[in-house]
Amino acid sequence: MNKTLVAIWTALLLAGCTATGGGSGQSAQQAVSAQPAENEQQQRAKVHTELGSLYMLDGRSAIALEEARIALSADPNYAPAYNLLGLTHMVLNETRLAEESFQKALRLAPGDPEISNNYGWFLCQSGREQLSISHFMAAAQNPLYTTPTKPYTNAGICSLRLKQDKAAEDYLLTALRLSPTNTQALFWLADIAYRKGRHSEARQWTTDIEKMMEPTAEVIWLALRIERKLGNREAEARYATQLRRRFLGSPEQRLLAQGQYD
């Protein structure tokens, strides 16, 4: 997976740290991070965890780690703080520390869908894609989780890593039905359609993305190759110009310069 897309999706994972969630089945419950604090110590832990999440989104990992530690000094059993530690260590490529933090978070809050989703993403990035799917489904099928589009999208991406295109497409289509503005799902659906030779369908997916956001280099590069397959030289040239002007030096622009379309 392209590093830029990994970074974007990590940001989306982090954004979920203050979302609503819960367990599954009869034990379904609201995610710990969304619950009101029960006492002063937990309130302090909650505030520092949320602040740490913002620092993480801003790329200030060292401060995010410190905020998570302050949170745990206030409440050593606050699961969202361990979740933040796991995410931060994951971004820093500190695999052992990330795993320990996520597992501690899950022991403290086994039904928390945010933690299940984030731990699943960690497993996917660690080469344990098949195991990650069960954690994504635990989050996605939680009736109280308000953003199930995220774990379904993650399950789709990790299924692609397993070269299971059909399963990936099913997960991504479900994610898109849940959130029609999910541009991550749209991108990977376009990628699958392109590789399967369904070029008109792939074009529609990328067109939808461009209606919703300023396209990234990845989106432009995919759209360019789609138009090339469809024989639309004018559109292909337009996308090539965008890559050269807006993303000079990017991996996609270098592939274009080398003529490596596939």
Side-chain angles (χ1 to χ4, degrees), residues 104-212:
K104 177 69 171 179
L106 284 172
R107 284 196 297 272
L108 290 168
D112 193 305
E114 293 168 4
I115 300 171
S116 292
N117 178 58
N118 293 345
Y119 184 50
W121 186 246
F122 167 77
L123 291 171
C124 181
Q125 298 302 303
S126 303
R128 290 171 283 176
E129 294 90 350
Q130 195 62 60
L131 182 58
S132 75
I133 302 297
S134 62
H135 289 277
F136 293 138
M137 291 302 96
Q141 294 168 9
N142 185 320
L144 297 182
Y145 194 32
T146 60
T147 56
T149 188
K150 290 191 298 183
Y152 274 117
T153 303
N154 289 340
I157 294 170
C158 292
S159 294
L160 288 175
R161 287 171 172 258
L162 293 167
K163 301 188 184 304
Q164 297 175 355
D165 284 357
K166 179 61 172 63
E169 196 162 22
D170 289 344
Y171 287 131
L172 292 166
L173 286 169
T174 299
L176 194 62
R177 283 195 296 272
L178 291 166
S179 176
T181 59
N182 184 336
T183 54
Q184 280 279 327
L186 285 167
F187 176 85
W188 292 111
L189 285 168
D191 179 77
I192 294 170
Y194 172 78
R195 289 187 291 102
K196 297 296 183 183
R198 303 183 332 241
H199 299 125
S200 294
E201 178 187 336
R203 173 198 271 168
Q204 185 57 59
W205 294 129
T206 56
T207 298
D208 289 345
I209 294 172
E210 291 183 78
K211 291 176 181 176
M212 299 176 195

Side-chain angles (χ1 to χ4, degrees), residues 17-43:
C17 287
T18 57
T20 302
S24 61
Q26 292 184 341
S27 62
Q29 56 186 266
Q30 196 176 43
V32 176
S33 63
Q35 295 175 17
E38 296 180 355
N39 50 52
E40 184 179 344
Q41 290 74 23
Q42 195 175 88
Q43 178 61 30

Side-chain angles (χ1 to χ4, degrees), residues 60-107:
R60 291 188 275 181
S61 299
I63 303 177
L65 286 174
E66 182 59 24
E67 290 296 335
R69 289 165 182 151
I70 293 172
L72 290 170
S73 69
D75 184 348
N77 294 316
Y78 192 61
Y82 283 105
N83 180 52
L84 175 60
L85 279 177
L87 286 165
T88 308
H89 287 306
M90 180 175 68
V91 170
L92 294 171
N93 294 316
E94 297 170 347
T95 303
R96 180 182 61 81
L97 293 173
E99 179 126 35
E100 289 175 357
S101 298
F102 281 128
Q103 289 184 352
K104 177 69 171 179
L106 284 172
R107 284 196 297 272

